[in-house]
């Protein structure tokens, strides 16, 4: 829960949400789960990235980071 004393605020916990998504995929039998980012999005400290690596380690899976040249559907398709 995030509290902001100066006004209304809604926050999103990207780390927890990413962990939940990963765990959901595993619970559905998925064993090859990749992390798709553009070339600027694979930085330590990013909540989604950190959650991916932590979840991969938790389940004993080898992390698989796919890096697209740009943040577009076409660039993502080329990588996948």
């Amino acid at each position: 829960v995030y509290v902001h004393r100066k006004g209304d605020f809604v926050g999103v916990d990207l780390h927890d949400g990413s962990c939940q998504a990963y765990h959901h995929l595993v619970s559905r039998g998925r064993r090859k789960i990749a992390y798709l980012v553009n070339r600027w999005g694979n930085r330590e400290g990013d909540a989604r990235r950190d959650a991916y690596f932590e979840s991969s380690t938790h389940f004993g899976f080898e992390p698989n980071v796919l890096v697209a040249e740009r943040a577009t559907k076409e660039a993502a398709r080329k990588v996948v």
Side-chain angles (χ1 to χ4, degrees), residues 35-50:
Y35 180 63
L36 174 64
V37 293
N38 63 37
R39 61 183 168 165
W40 301 281
N42 191 26
R43 302 184 195 284
E44 262 186 69
D46 176 79
R48 292 168 290 195
R49 178 196 179 277
D50 293 349

Side-chain angles (χ1 to χ4, degrees), residues 3 24 28-29 36 39 44 58 71 74:
V3 178
H24 171 77
R28 297 292 185 195
L36 174 64
R39 61 183 168 165
E44 262 186 69
H58 174 79
E74 293 78 21

Side-chain angles (χ1 to χ4, degrees), residues 20-63:
Q20 287 181 35
Y22 197 106
H23 291 218
H24 171 77
L25 292 171
V26 172
S27 75
R28 297 292 185 195
R30 304 298 186 253
R31 297 295 178 259
K32 292 183 178 181
I33 302 169
Y35 180 63
L36 174 64
V37 293
N38 63 37
R39 61 183 168 165
W40 301 281
N42 191 26
R43 302 184 195 284
E44 262 186 69
D46 176 79
R48 292 168 290 195
R49 178 196 179 277
D50 293 349
Y52 172 77
F53 279 94
E54 288 170 23
S55 295
S56 294
T57 300
H58 174 79
F59 287 104
F61 298 155
E62 186 69 30

